[in-house]
Each structure stands twice: as C-alpha cells, then as structure tokens.
Amino acid sequence: MEDVFEQQRLLSGQPPAYIRRLYILVIILLTGVILSMFFITVDVVAIFPAITRQNGETIPIHSRKPGIIDSIYISNGDSISAGDKIAKLHDAVSRKTILTLRKASEDLKLQIGRLEILGVFASQYPVTPGEVNVKKSDRQYQLFMANHSAWNVKLKKAEADLELTRVLCHDNIVAPAELAAAESKFQEINTAFKAFISGQVAAWEKERQLLSERLWKLEMDIFNAEEEYKSHYIHSPVAGVVTGLKRRVENDNIAIEDVFCFVSPFDSLVIESYVTPSAIAFLSPGQPVYYSFNIAGADHLNIAPGRIVVVSPVMEWNSSQPVYRVLSSPPDNNGDEIKDFHLVAGVTLKSRFLVTERKLWQLVIGRFRQYTQPIPVIK
C-alpha cells in the first residue's frame, strides 16, 4: 500500500514530505526575520579618534549667545565648580518679567478651575456632589442662582396652574382646551428652563476653552522667557581653576565664537575627541561616551562609559578636515574589562557616541538606497 502511495506521489510531481516540511520551516523563518525587522531597534554609533590629555591643558569657555557683558563673577586663579556662573550678559528679560508672567498664569489657572466648578454645579444642581465647592461670593454664581430662582418660580407656578386646571377639567368646570393650554405652557417654561441651564454651562465651557488657550500661550511665553533669561549666564561645565581670563571689562561685546576664559579641570585626565560636523548636532553635555582601545592589534571596548563635558561650538581644521573638539570624562577603570590597565596622558583611543536609534528595516532600506541611488562624486 505504501508503494502505491509513493507511486501516486511521484506521478503527481509532489516533493517528499520532509522537503515540504523544510519549505514550511524556511517560510516560517523568513516571516520571523521580516517581522523582527519592524521591532528590533539598533543603536547608530559614530566612532571618532580621541586622545587623553593632562590636567594642565585647559578647556575654553564660550558664550551661548552674543551680547554685552553685564557682570563678571570670577578672576584668574579662582576655583569653581561645575555649573557655577562665571559671567552674565545684559538681559532684555528681567526676573521681574518672569514673575509677572507666572502670576498671570496662576490667575488664569484659578479662573479655569472656577469655571469648571461652576459648570459641574450648574449641570447637576440641585443634586450637586459634596466635593463641588462653589464660593457663594462668586458674581457669576450669584447671577446664575438669581436667574435659576426666577425660572424656578415660573416653573412652580405653571406646575400649580396645570394641577388646578386638571382638577377643574375633571369636574367639568373648564373645557379640555384650557387643560391642553396649561400643559403646553408648562412644557414651554420647562424647556426654556433647561435651555437656560445648558446655555449657561455652554457659555462657561466656551470661556474656559478661551482661557485655556490663553494659558497655553502664556506658558510658552514663560518657557521662552526663562530660556532667554538662562542664556544670559555663562556657566562653567567642569570643576577646575580659572586661567586665561580673556574678558575682564564689563560692557564689553562678546560673540559666540569668542573665548571668555579657560578652565583647568580638577580631574587627572580628560579625553578629547575630534568629531566631524555631520555628527556634532547629535552630541550634548552629559551624554554617555564609550571608548575602545587598540591593544596588540585588537580593539577592546571599555564597559564603563564616560560623559561628555564640553561640546565646542567652534569648528577647527585637523589634517585638512573640519572637526569639532568634544571633551569627555575618562571611563571608570573599575569597570574596564582590561586587567591592570591605567590611562595616562597621550593614549590614543576611539570614542563611540550614540547618535540615534533606527529600526532594522530602516537600516536595510538605507543601505539598499546607497547601492541603487549612489551620490555622484564630482572630481
């Protein structure tokens, strides 16, 4: 019987069972690989040459924006900590302006909260939850309650007239037409009463939305004003000793590329990396940096990262190539996978910066476009 089935399979042209299982396995694996490309995230790392420097070498301190020097808080030889203010530029935005904006923001928040409470109170009155606390002295509350009472009196009177008309109609004292008129009048007043309440709630909600838009714009103004205020201070990114103070006179102009002073760090070593312009926009102080050392022809990656200390805003030329200097702290030797290895000045290494993250499918498509749509090189 098995021979008959085997002959039928051969005549039909179907592959053996193990081949079909192999095809199914390959299809499942390919499907898994394709799906994983949409979920797996890959770190895009930029690698640049670097060298360790001695403590005696200084770090240039630049202003974040051009301006006129208003105050200088340091002098040569002063010891400063990371984040200390070393100078202040003339500011167009005063602290009083920021406090005024914050006060206006708090007032708007109170008005928005009051309107929200009034809306809940009006929509659920007289069955109002206990947590809804309305100030009795609120002018809008008093006006609403006065109108509510007036409408309530009209509704009660119409309801009493309707009940009296029903009794009289039942006793054949008045005609059914008068009962219909009383019912119509009651429904008209009741509908108008409900429209008054819903209209008042809608008006308060519209006012609340307008105030919320004003609050959002005001919060943006506060954020911009605070950023503008902060930018008027020049801070030291590292702890060290002030040397080479270039600007000693107040009311002096300073540009972004001008060096305000130099700071000699307290750390024993600092690592200077030479970063190309294409990657400098992705780097900022405090960002982790991983280092690799070439020992005996093999790259050894240090497990413990360092941190970016300074990203120089000034472009320099190194071996006919434009670069930016990025200073970072050395790695923790305790986390180094290389035994009995200690950094000294002059050690060459490679700095590895995390530039961005990409999905695996984005990398594959990007590499495919490099081959299918190459950038022409003009010689």
Side-chain angles (χ1 to χ4, degrees):
M1 184 63 67
E2 293 180 357
D3 294 338
V4 173
F5 288 153
E6 183 67 18
Q7 291 177 0
Q8 291 178 352
R9 183 189 62 75
L10 293 175
L11 291 175
S12 64
Q14 294 182 354
Y18 71 91
I19 296 295
R20 295 198 299 271
R21 295 191 187 99
L22 181 61
Y23 287 162
I24 293 174
L25 180 60
V26 171
I27 292 173
I28 292 174
L29 291 176
L30 289 176
T31 304
V33 170
I34 295 174
L35 291 177
S36 65
M37 293 174 64
F38 292 90
F39 296 98
I40 296 178
T41 302
V42 179
D43 294 337
V44 179
V45 178
I47 303 176
F48 300 101
I51 189 171
T52 58
R53 297 192 331 190
Q54 293 179 347
N55 183 25
E57 298 187 43
T58 55
I59 297 174
I61 306 300
H62 302 268
S63 174
R64 292 172 56 188
K65 59 179 297 182
I68 300 175
I69 299 175
D70 189 36
S71 302
I72 300 175
Y73 306 124
I74 59 171
S75 59
N76 283 325
D78 288 348
S79 297
I80 56 176
S81 301
D84 283 355
K85 299 175 182 178
I86 60 178
K88 178 179 179 294
L89 303 181
H90 179 70
D91 55 343
V93 179
S94 64
R95 194 64 185 169
K96 184 178 180 181
T97 302
I98 296 176
L99 293 177
T100 302
L101 292 175
R102 286 182 177 176
K103 178 65 169 57
S105 174
E106 294 299 325
D107 292 341
L108 280 179
K109 290 178 181 178
L110 290 176
Q111 295 181 45
I112 292 172
R114 180 180 59 81
L115 290 173
E116 290 177 348
I117 292 176
L118 285 173
V120 174
F121 173 82
S123 61
Q124 301 184 10
Y125 183 81
V127 185
T128 304
E131 62 270 13
V132 178
N133 184 18
V134 181
K135 290 184 178 181
K136 308 301 181 183
S137 60
D138 190 288
R139 181 177 176 276
Q140 289 182 312
Y141 165 79
Q142 293 176 348
L143 183 61
F144 170 77
M145 291 305 298
N147 291 330
H148 189 280
S149 299
W151 277 106
N152 196 39
V153 169
K154 292 181 182 180
L155 186 64
K156 293 296 183 183
K157 185 178 182 303
E159 186 178 9
D161 292 343
L162 177 60
E163 291 299 325
L164 178 60
T165 306
R166 283 176 178 169
V167 173
L168 295 177
C169 182
H170 182 268
D171 295 337
N172 295 322
I173 299 176
V174 298
E178 294 187 20
L179 176 61
E183 290 177 346
S184 176
K185 182 178 181 181
F186 173 78
Q187 292 296 334
E188 181 181 349
I189 294 176
N190 188 39
T191 302
F193 188 17
K194 293 180 179 178
F196 156 71
I197 295 176
S198 60
Q200 183 62 76
V201 172
W204 285 338
E205 176 61 21
K206 183 178 180 180
E207 184 179 357
R208 188 195 67 81
Q209 292 178 356
L210 293 175
L211 291 178
S212 297
E213 293 178 1
R214 286 178 53 191
L215 178 62
W216 182 81
K217 294 179 181 178
L218 188 59
E219 293 289 346
M220 291 300 299
D221 291 340
I222 292 174
F223 175 79
N224 294 331
E226 289 181 341
E227 290 298 313
E228 182 72 13
Y229 182 77
K230 292 177 183 176
S231 66
H232 290 95
Y233 285 95
I234 302 176
H235 297 83
S236 174
V238 295
V241 179
V242 178
T243 61
L245 184 60
K246 298 293 184 180
R247 303 282 180 166
R248 298 186 177 89
V249 182
E250 296 179 355
N251 298 324
D252 192 9
N253 290 317
I254 187 170
I256 295 179
E257 64 272 11
D258 290 346
V259 176
F260 185 83
C261 69
F262 294 89
V263 175
S264 180
F266 289 140
D267 297 335
S268 59
L269 290 175
V270 66
I271 296 179
E272 183 177 79
S273 305
Y274 305 98
V275 180
T276 58
S278 60
I280 195 66
F282 297 93
L283 307 183
S284 59
Q287 189 173 335
V289 188
Y290 291 87
Y291 307 105
S292 60
F293 305 89
N294 188 284
I295 301 175
D299 285 338
H300 296 269
L301 179 64
N302 190 280
I303 299 175
R307 295 283 175 178
I308 295 179
V309 177
V310 175
V311 178
S312 175
V314 181
M315 186 178 68
E316 304 176 9
W317 290 88
N318 186 10
S319 300
S320 300
Q321 181 181 7
V323 295
Y324 289 86
R325 292 175 184 261
V326 176
L327 303 181
S328 54
S329 61
D332 183 6
N333 286 333
N334 294 330
D336 201 328
E337 65 177 5
I338 309 171
K339 302 300 181 182
D340 300 326
F341 178 75
H342 302 284
L343 282 178
V344 295
V347 174
T348 57
L349 61 155
K350 293 180 180 179
S351 299
R352 306 166 66 92
F353 301 95
L354 175 60
V355 177
T356 184
E357 293 181 349
R358 289 288 185 269
K359 297 295 184 182
L360 192 58
W361 67 271
Q362 293 175 320
L363 295 179
V364 173
I365 292 178
R367 186 55 60 92
F368 176 75
R369 286 178 177 174
Q370 288 182 359
Y371 287 106
T372 58
Q373 302 174 3
I375 301 175
V377 178
I378 300 176
K379 296 183 179 180

